[in-house]
Amino acid sequence: MPRSYPVLLFFSVVLMLRCHGTSSTLLWCYCPPDANYTTNSTFQTNLHLLLASLSSSAAATGYSNDTEGRSSDQVHGLALCRGDVSSSVCQTCLDAAVQDIIQSCPNGMTSTIFYVDCLLRYSNQMFFSTADTSFRYWAWNTQNVSNQQQFETTLGNLMNDLTEKASSSPKLFAAGSAKVTSFDRLYGLVQCTRDLSAYDCYECLQYTLTFIPKCCSWRKGGKVYLQSCYLRFESDLFYNLSAVEAPPPRAANDDSGGKSNNAVKTVLLVVVPVAAALLSLLAIFMYCRRRKPAMPRRMQLHKRMFDNEDQQEIKSAESLLLDLEVIRSATNNFSDANKLGEGGFGPVYRGTLDDGEQIAVKRLSRTSGQGIVELKNEVVLLAKLQHRNLVRLLGCCLQEEEKLLVYEYLPNASLDKVLFDPVRRVQLDWARRYKIIEGIGRGLLYLHEDSRLKIVHRDLKASNILLGWDMNPKISDFGLAKLFDVDETRRNTSRIAGTYGYMAPEYALRGRFSTNSDVYSYGVLILEILTGRKNCGYQGSGNSIDLLGYVWRHWNQGDAMQVVDQSVVDRCQPQEVLRCMHIGLLCVQEDPAQRPSMASITLMLNSYSIGLPPLSAPAFVTRSITVSGSGVHGRDTQVSLQGREIYKGSTTRSAKESKNDITIRNEGT
């Protein structure tokens, strides 16, 4: 009998016999109006075959994905049940989903339907192994919590813990609870579709966490759903506690009833001696463990990096220590063929680990201005920070005079390599540029306000924004970052380190830095992304003027669209561009108090109902700089702020002319 007959028969039975009183609750159905298939077409037949197959096969394991058909009639789909539900509940939910997805999206070639207990998705486009965050749905309990601060802290810790557990579990699922008070508990659940890698699952769930403050961080319950992952939390138990806490099921015994007593005796004769031998080995192993052998030399070298530090703070950082031979093997012994680029700190190499994961290795040169202090700073900070818009540190190594930092590999290099390249910049259409502006803003908001720490980056620039597969921006290079107390607003330093063109004037001149100085750097980035031009050294209309002054002049003249990159100016929404330009100019106001916070900026970017404050002239900065070694030193450094000239220091060390992406280190005032 052809395969299609029984499957189509099953599909027909499901449609006819599905119970209207199903216990599974429909949450939402996503049906984009992009394309429709023709009734009674080959695509429709393939779709029905696929849905029926997914429903039956996923009921046993909780997950299934498959493809039906060929060429333009091909359809891809997956079915997923919540990790704590039984097979019968899973089957009931998916049977309902099969009917409802057809009724909710008649003739749709792409659709996703979400129930409390299951998910069903199909498309004419391949979507497996890719985290899809293009559509989201959230809902919340209407009741507010009484102690908001304590609840939010508990919620954040619980969700971060569950995210880590889910991404490392075979089912990409985790559920658990945390105590809010002596009387109240908070329950949470997270899950990804099982076509994702562990890393993509983690990234997807981290993205869902960013929506909690927008909808439900002060509510007694909430849920956020993306097409590839979701989370839910409640003040009351909502998942199957016994299924979550139950140990993994043992393999079923093959007891057909036909075994003889002699066979049983034979098994015992084999098993008992083997068990005795294993017990003896176990006893020897436990004895040896008590002796605590000396730490290998390479680990002692690693430990020196963290001596005299608060061990609680660096405990997670120590888990990132990698062996030098592993990195050498991954990079083909730092082969020139694997070199991605080189900066003042040293070269960066591409590598591939034994499990196939691609990495980027920053190899600090012995002459680098970025030394052990900056390396330790970056390791300790990134070990604590996890966000989809922050680069992920995989490990570090200090062996045989090597100082190595190992990151996730991001294929599209840094923003400056694309934005300022006349050929590659066409990859950045307006939608992608807006996405990059938003992503950098979310990353900074996390650093300044949403993480458990309060971080000022101090070196935000285009070369420190890395671009992922989908041009998702990630902030990198935390060697100069500073950790602030929660209620601390500003700090002074005599050691000014950063990049001219991105440094706020109060920091460059007086060593004062704060979250406002990061906002200034972000404003420069916004204007660079809009115009496709670097800030420093830009020659506008024959006069030496920096980008901020160039944009401000056209803004006042009423022809601001003339400064927008010509590759996007004809394919963008002018009002959207001008709003971003207004926000960028707000960020670079000379007075730090006049710059908006990252929370306000994020709100301005996402809500057009929010009015924008009036503008005053930004801080204009022009200068003559010389470099020496790894540092940049000003020779008769001239800084002009709104017409007032200030001369700050000088040195007589000669060097070549500086570039915008060189990091300065002014040792003293």
Side-chain angles (χ1 to χ4, degrees), residues 183-253:
F183 301 102
D184 300 319
R185 294 194 72 84
L186 178 65
Y187 300 88
L189 180 150
V190 298
Q191 187 168 13
C192 300
T193 56
R194 293 187 214 168
D195 58 312
L196 299 186
S197 66
Y199 173 61
D200 287 337
C201 175
Y202 182 86
E203 287 280 282
C204 188
L205 289 173
Q206 282 291 315
Y207 187 50
T208 63
L209 297 182
T210 64
F211 294 98
I212 291 180
K214 300 179 181 180
C215 71
C216 38
S217 60
W218 63 95
R219 309 285 189 174
K220 287 191 173 182
K223 52 178 78 79
V224 180
Y225 288 85
L226 307 179
Q227 294 199 86
S228 298
C229 66
Y230 64 93
L231 66 83
R232 182 182 176 187
F233 66 90
E234 302 286 349
S235 295
D236 298 317
L237 180 62
F238 64 91
Y239 54 79
N240 186 345
L241 187 62
S242 60
V244 170
E245 296 181 346
R250 297 179 179 178
N253 293 326

Side-chain angles (χ1 to χ4, degrees), residues 24-30 80-85 93 112-121 131-141 159 173 188-193 204-212 215-216 221-234 238-239:
S24 201
T25 304
L26 176 64
L27 296 175
W28 56 267
C29 186
Y30 176 53
L80 175 73
C81 287
R82 211 171 74 181
D84 62 314
V85 302
C93 184
T112 304
I113 193 166
F114 244 113
Y115 285 81
V116 169
D117 296 326
C118 69
L119 150 72
L120 185 63
R121 181 183 181 188
D132 190 338
T133 60
S134 60
F135 180 83
R136 51 191 174 268
Y137 160 89
W138 63 70
W140 57 88
N141 192 312
M159 285 296 141
F173 167 85
L189 180 150
V190 298
Q191 187 168 13
C192 300
T193 56
C204 188
L205 289 173
Q206 282 291 315
Y207 187 50
T208 63
L209 297 182
T210 64
F211 294 98
I212 291 180
C215 71
C216 38
K223 52 178 78 79
V224 180
Y225 288 85
L226 307 179
Q227 294 199 86
S228 298
C229 66
Y230 64 93
L231 66 83
R232 182 182 176 187
F233 66 90
E234 302 286 349
F238 64 91
Y239 54 79

Side-chain angles (χ1 to χ4, degrees), residues 594-613:
Q594 298 300 315
R595 301 171 200 156
S597 67
M598 287 312 305
S600 299
I601 293 169
T602 303
L603 192 60
M604 293 175 193
L605 288 171
N606 288 279
S607 176
Y608 280 80
S609 62
I610 304 297
L612 301 183

Side-chain angles (χ1 to χ4, degrees), residues 1-13 49 52:
M1 181 182 296
R3 177 190 172 202
S4 59
Y5 291 169
V7 176
L8 285 175
L9 177 61
F10 170 82
F11 184 84
S12 302
V13 171
L49 288 167

Side-chain angles (χ1 to χ4, degrees), residues 270-532:
V270 173
V271 171
V272 172
V274 172
L278 290 175
L279 287 173
S280 299
L281 290 173
L282 180 60
I284 295 172
F285 171 73
M286 294 302 293
Y287 171 76
C288 293
R289 283 195 64 185
R290 295 175 190 166
R291 300 189 60 185
K292 296 183 179 179
M295 183 183 295
R297 176 168 177 77
R298 64 173 180 268
M299 296 305 293
Q300 289 176 342
L301 290 172
H302 289 313
K303 285 288 289 183
R304 288 178 193 165
M305 173 180 172
F306 301 108
D307 282 348
N308 302 318
E309 294 288 342
D310 184 352
Q311 292 300 311
Q312 290 300 114
E313 287 194 357
I314 54 81
K315 185 176 180 181
S316 58
E318 291 185 4
S319 65
L320 298 174
L321 302 175
L322 298 178
D323 189 87
L324 178 58
E325 291 306 315
V326 173
I327 301 174
R328 279 178 174 163
S329 175
T331 60
N332 194 17
N333 198 21
F334 304 106
S335 166
D336 287 341
N338 286 358
K339 185 183 288 189
L340 296 173
E342 188 161 359
F345 52 80
V348 177
Y349 297 88
R350 179 177 177 175
T352 304
L353 298 175
D354 290 340
D355 61 1
E357 181 176 11
Q358 293 185 315
I359 58 174
V361 181
K362 181 192 289 187
R363 189 185 195 187
L364 275 68
S365 65
R366 296 183 181 181
T367 59
S368 171
Q370 186 173 11
I372 191 67
V373 174
E374 287 86 352
L375 184 143
K376 181 178 70 173
N377 193 55
E378 184 151 3
V379 171
V380 172
L381 285 179
L382 283 181
K384 301 176 183 178
L385 301 173
Q386 297 289 346
H387 190 273
R388 73 186 303 265
N389 295 115
L390 302 183
V391 69
R392 189 166 65 109
L393 180 71
L394 302 179
C396 66
C397 178
L398 283 175
Q399 288 177 239
E400 300 179 12
E401 305 303 321
E402 293 280 9
K403 293 182 290 186
L404 306 170
L405 291 172
V406 181
Y407 303 91
E408 61 177 316
Y409 172 70
L410 297 171
N412 287 310
S414 54
L415 176 60
D416 64 319
K417 301 296 184 185
V418 182
L419 182 62
F420 304 134
D421 186 301
V423 177
R424 294 193 64 190
R425 72 170 52 177
V426 297
Q427 296 177 276
L428 299 178
D429 56 18
W430 171 243
R432 283 176 173 164
R433 295 190 192 209
Y434 192 79
K435 177 182 178 181
I436 291 171
I437 291 172
E438 279 191 310
I440 299 170
R442 284 194 301 266
L444 273 182
L445 176 62
Y446 174 78
L447 291 176
H448 291 178
E449 301 183 28
D450 290 346
S451 73
R452 290 175 292 175
L453 311 172
K454 185 177 183 180
I455 304 293
V456 176
H457 188 278
R458 290 207 303 166
D459 201 18
L460 191 70
K461 56 184 177 181
S463 60
N464 281 342
I465 305 299
L466 304 182
L467 302 175
W469 295 98
D470 56 351
M471 292 296 180
N472 177 53
K474 292 176 181 279
I475 301 172
S476 69
D477 201 341
F478 286 77
L480 301 180
K482 289 294 184 181
L483 176 62
F484 272 46
D485 294 331
V486 174
D487 56 352
E488 189 177 7
T489 59
R490 191 182 69 184
R491 196 179 292 179
N492 290 354
T493 182
S494 61
R495 183 174 180 269
I496 301 173
T499 304
Y500 273 134
Y502 295 95
M503 294 170 65
E506 71 275 6
Y507 179 45
L509 295 175
R510 297 181 292 277
R512 297 177 182 174
F513 64 94
S514 64
T515 55
N516 287 329
S517 51
D518 274 356
V519 169
Y520 180 93
S521 304
Y522 178 60
V524 175
L525 271 173
I526 291 178
L527 299 181
E528 288 186 332
I529 292 169
L530 294 177
T531 63

Side-chain angles (χ1 to χ4, degrees), residues 120-131:
L120 185 63
R121 181 183 181 188
Y122 72 84
S123 177
N124 63 326
Q125 301 293 325
M126 171 63 77
F127 60 86
F128 301 148
S129 304
T130 301

